[in-house]
Amino acid sequence: TSASASASASATTQVPKQDRLIATELVAAIDEFMGRLIEELDYNREERNARKFASLYAVGTGSAVDTMPDVNGKGVVVPEFLPGLCTDNVIVMSWIEGTKLTDVSEKAALTREDKQSVKENLELIELATQCTLSQLLDTGVLHADPHGGNLLKVEVPGSDPPRYRLAYLDFGIVSYVPSQVRDGLVCAMASLVFAGDTAAVADLFGELQLIPEDVLNDPSERAALQAAMKLTLHESLKYPDVNDDGSETAVPVLLFDKLLDALSRLVPRFRFDLPPYFINNARALSTLEGIARTLDPSFNVLSVMYPTALNRMLQNPTKSPVVDETLQSLIRSKDTGRIDRKKVSDLLRDSALISGHSKRKVIFDVLKTRGGRKLIRGAIREELDERVVKAVFRRRKGTRSMMPRERGKRRFLSRYFKL
């Protein structure tokens, strides 16, 4: 029903054994490594990558910066390339003066100024995570190597007291993620964390052609895949204690090292055909989480990831039927097909916990999205008695909407979700 459903996976579940001691495709792995290495040495490609990235995310000019939080200006700093000086063997770009985001954390004792720097750096790491999610879920243009040397803390020129922005360097590895894959990642994230539905995720893997059909069509293999995924979920999501009433007290923590270790076992066992961007996506988010945890051990990447994923699902900018179907599966009863008030309430509660906002604010943020308005309209239609609906139609004949007026809508929402 909610995020807590995922925690019920048994710790004793075992991933089925593979037939070979080493099941990785060695030739394919070497080809992939060499392909990435050659890309990094292609300076013309790097210049094109940087220009594309800047067109989307550069401060003041990027077309995708509205999806990001405002940290002393929406967007990030991207070096300017000087085409007249660039050749096949040399690239020349503007110099960016800054410091690494991990510099402060290396000190044994933090001064008052250091603590302020840690706060500033964490804010920039959260921005980097949001930016990565925008790349992964919104635009599909992903800087896949955001390690500590490629992210800089840059002072805003002329700011007093000093204010800082985030800068990206090194565009040798930029992945391009297809829209159907972006939609699938959103659905997989929601199905696993909010519903613990490993069967739905297995179906998504099939639709994205990440697993051979003979694996998904074999009942024993499909069951083994679901069991392995439950174990992966159990190992990589650390859930908090549950109160006597079954409610959560905090947000689950995603253990990226456990997740990557578990995925490395699943890939060869079930013959996953992972495109390069899957590996790069996981590495990018894992790297950012690692930097953040050196600054603050309590940092939880889920608090940044899920509001973004949920918003993408509700907006559904590609009008993907897979996204619509996943959203409906999260809010409707499998028995009746009607909107399940408890499932909706649990989904909103989890979103409130993860985002740190009140449940009321989450609801009204949801109402701003296309999917949210559709959800509320459906809830109202199914909640009202048929005779009331007919009466509303007679009274308001000729109107375009049967939604209550704003104050009435707010009263309905408050009663429906027990705000």
Side-chain angles (χ1 to χ4, degrees):
T1 55
S2 69
S4 58
S6 305
S8 62
S10 171
T12 60
T13 306
Q14 297 296 320
V15 177
K17 293 182 179 179
Q18 57 197 39
D19 296 330
R20 292 179 290 166
L21 178 62
I22 300 177
T24 54
E25 299 293 339
L26 188 58
V27 174
I30 293 175
D31 285 346
E32 170 62 21
F33 173 78
M34 293 304 298
R36 300 289 76 75
L37 185 61
I38 291 171
E39 282 184 13
E40 288 220 58
L41 295 175
D42 184 343
Y43 292 154
N44 291 317
R45 179 188 179 95
E46 179 166 355
E47 182 184 354
R48 292 194 301 271
N49 288 340
R51 290 186 183 281
K52 179 63 176 178
F53 190 88
S55 73
L56 294 168
Y57 295 107
V59 174
T61 61
S63 60
V65 296
D66 286 342
T67 64
M68 298 165 56
D70 189 335
V71 181
N72 301 316
K74 287 194 173 185
V76 299
V77 178
V78 181
E80 180 183 353
F81 281 70
L82 307 178
L85 300 177
C86 294
T87 71
D88 291 344
N89 300 313
V90 176
I91 52 175
V92 182
M93 66 193 84
S94 58
W95 179 264
I96 294 180
E97 189 71 39
T99 58
K100 291 196 299 183
L101 295 175
T102 53
D103 280 353
V104 175
S105 65
E106 296 170 359
K107 296 183 179 180
L110 299 181
T111 65
R112 181 178 177 181
E113 290 75 15
D114 289 337
K115 290 179 181 178
Q116 175 62 26
S117 292
V118 168
K119 181 180 177 182
E120 294 165 351
N121 290 7
L122 272 174
E123 190 175 45
L124 293 176
I125 285 295
E126 289 191 13
L127 173 62
T129 306
Q130 289 276 17
C131 188
T132 296
L133 290 170
S134 173
Q135 297 161 41
L136 175 59
L137 303 178
D138 293 326
T139 66
V141 178
L142 176 72
H143 186 298
D145 197 20
H147 61 71
N150 286 341
L151 298 175
L152 292 182
K153 178 182 180 180
V154 178
E155 185 174 339
V156 177
S159 59
D160 186 21
R163 292 179 292 116
Y164 298 93
R165 288 176 178 154
L166 178 70
Y168 273 78
L169 306 176
D170 190 353
F171 295 88
I173 302 181
V174 171
S175 297
Y176 293 86
V177 187
S179 61
Q180 69 270 23
V181 174
R182 303 200 300 268
D183 291 334
L185 289 172
V186 169
C187 294
M189 190 182 302
S191 296
L192 278 177
V193 176
F194 286 121
D197 192 344
T198 55
V201 176
D203 289 337
L204 285 169
F205 286 158
E207 290 182 20
L208 296 176
Q209 298 181 335
L210 300 179
I211 296 181
E213 287 188 10
D214 61 286
V215 173
L216 291 174
N217 294 335
D218 184 328
S220 62
E221 282 291 275
R222 188 182 180 88
L225 173 62
Q226 291 184 32
M229 290 173 61
K230 285 182 179 179
L231 177 59
T232 298
L233 198 63
H234 180 83
E235 290 179 341
S236 57
L237 283 178
K238 181 180 179 182
Y239 284 84
D241 295 332
V242 178
N243 296 328
D244 293 338
D245 62 358
S247 62
E248 301 277 333
T249 57
V251 180
V253 176
L254 178 60
L255 306 175
F256 249 114
D257 56 338
K258 299 287 186 182
L259 176 62
L260 294 177
D261 179 63
L263 289 177
S264 70
R265 298 197 304 269
L266 294 186
V267 168
R269 168 61 182 84
F270 297 102
R271 296 168 22 228
F272 275 75
D273 182 15
L274 294 183
Y277 47 74
F278 268 88
I279 300 170
N280 292 340
N281 296 344
R283 181 176 66 174
L285 288 171
S286 177
T287 299
L288 289 171
E289 187 206 34
I291 296 173
R293 283 185 174 275
T294 63
L295 298 170
D296 178 7
S298 66
F299 178 80
N300 185 0
V301 71
L302 288 188
S303 298
V304 183
M305 288 174 62
Y306 285 127
T308 303
L310 180 61
N311 183 66
R312 167 84 183 189
M313 175 170 284
L314 291 169
Q315 292 281 4
N316 193 7
T318 61
K319 296 182 172 54
S320 164
V322 174
V323 173
D324 274 337
E325 289 170 10
T326 301
L327 178 60
Q328 293 303 313
S329 72
L330 293 175
I331 63 174
R332 291 187 179 274
S333 167
K334 291 184 178 179
D335 298 326
T336 66
R338 293 171 59 86
I339 292 177
D340 186 322
R341 183 186 301 188
K342 186 177 185 306
K343 292 180 76 170
V344 174
S345 183
D346 287 344
L347 180 64
L348 293 171
R349 183 201 65 192
D350 289 347
S351 299
L353 283 170
I354 289 167
S355 66
H357 298 308
S358 68
K359 192 174 175 181
R360 184 183 296 271
K361 184 180 187 310
V362 169
I363 288 176
F364 291 116
D365 284 345
V366 165
L367 278 173
K368 297 176 184 177
T369 67
R370 169 181 170 270
R373 290 190 294 272
K374 182 178 179 181
L375 186 156
I376 297 301
R377 283 197 297 269
I380 291 175
R381 280 196 297 268
E382 294 184 10
E383 185 72 12
L384 293 175
D385 181 84
E386 183 178 358
R387 288 172 297 176
V388 176
V389 174
K390 289 180 179 178
V392 170
F393 271 126
R394 286 196 299 269
R395 190 180 309 121
R396 299 186 179 180
K397 187 177 180 181
T399 59
R400 296 177 60 186
S401 173
M402 51 179 271
M403 287 285 289
R405 293 184 184 277
E406 190 64 29
R407 289 178 62 185
K409 182 167 63 177
R410 289 174 181 268
R411 285 197 298 270
F412 172 83
L413 293 174
S414 296
R415 291 196 304 270
Y416 192 88
F417 297 113
K418 298 180 181 179
L419 297 180

